[in-house]
Amino acid sequence: MSHRPNVGRVTSAKIVIAGGFGVGKTTLVGSVSEITPLTTEAIMTSAGVGVDDTRQVPGKTTTTVAMDFGRISIDRDLILYLFGTPGQTRFWFMWDELVRGAIGAVVLVDTRRLADCFAAIDFFEHRKLPYVVAINCFDGTQFHSEQDVRDALAISPEVPVLPCDARGRESTKQVLIGLVEYVLNMRRTRTGIPA
């Protein structure tokens, strides 16, 4: 009797979507999720005045206060569960719980506000959680090259920097696939298994 491992076996993985305030994390989760995403969007109130910088996102009236959740099947054998983090620092006490059990993270960046993603990158580097940087191309335009963003963020050469339109399902799916491939390659390198 022959045994065929992994035939029909479904693997699931948890991925964290992070970045600064108003960068498009909720939009990214919603664009790719095959289920109605769970969001914890709340109306921004006067309590956020002077705390949340809305100058670069003037139409923003809501903010994530806990997390966003979505799911996507990459193929019939791999399901990704997406957990979007809140962007404001006052909600970061939740990040340790959100990253527990995650295989990796996507740091979504707005090149008009690169400084907003430094804390997320530091968070994942400190915890040694693999991540990719996704440049959200607002209005369909990428203002800076991947190399310029890499240099500005001072991230190591092996960390993928990928273009992304957080509104587009296929674009977002390619970023998630890029993260999974990066994590798998890192694990192969550590264990000495050829790619």
Side-chain angles (χ1 to χ4, degrees):
M1 174 192 282
S2 66
H3 177 66
R4 295 180 355 182
N6 298 328
V7 172
R9 182 174 164 205
V10 176
T11 301
S12 63
K14 178 180 182 180
I15 292 179
V16 175
I17 312 298
F21 170 68
V23 76
K25 299 176 298 294
T26 300
T27 300
L28 185 149
V29 171
S31 74
V32 76
S33 182
E34 60 199 15
I35 62 170
T36 302
L38 166 69
T39 62
T40 58
E41 290 280 293
I43 302 284
M44 295 175 65
T45 66
S46 59
V49 174
V51 177
D52 300 326
D53 183 1
T54 59
R55 287 175 294 182
Q56 292 292 329
V57 284
K60 187 161 180 62
T61 59
T62 62
T63 187
T64 301
V65 295
M67 69 172 185
D68 299 315
F69 174 77
R71 182 190 76 205
I72 179 173
S73 300
I74 297 298
D75 60 30
R76 68 177 182 224
D77 298 331
L78 178 60
I79 298 172
L80 301 179
Y81 293 100
L82 310 176
F83 290 79
T85 65
Q88 297 99 317
T89 55
R90 68 182 178 274
F91 296 121
W92 281 8
F93 65 91
M94 302 179 63
W95 281 40
D96 281 320
E97 289 303 318
L98 287 175
V99 301
R100 191 179 315 264
I103 65 160
V106 173
V107 177
L108 192 60
V109 301
D110 177 348
T111 57
R112 301 169 296 183
R113 301 177 290 136
L114 273 180
D116 292 355
C117 70
F118 286 138
I121 289 171
D122 289 346
F123 181 88
F124 298 126
E125 286 182 349
H126 179 72
R127 283 155 183 81
K128 298 185 180 354
L129 185 69
Y131 67 92
V132 299
V133 171
I135 304 169
N136 196 0
C137 301
F138 288 89
D139 301 320
T141 304
Q142 183 174 328
F143 294 101
H144 302 283
S145 73
E146 286 91 352
Q147 189 59 49
D148 288 344
V149 172
R150 177 183 304 287
D151 294 343
L153 297 176
I155 56 176
S156 58
E158 65 272 1
V159 173
V161 177
L162 310 166
C164 177
D165 181 342
R167 301 165 300 179
R169 178 179 172 78
E170 194 54 39
S171 177
T172 299
K173 185 176 178 181
Q174 290 309 309
V175 168
L176 297 172
I177 290 170
L179 173 62
V180 170
E181 289 174 346
Y182 175 56
V183 169
L184 288 174
N185 285 334
M186 285 181 68
R187 289 181 179 181
R188 286 183 188 117
T189 301
R190 277 193 224 132
T191 59
I193 299 171

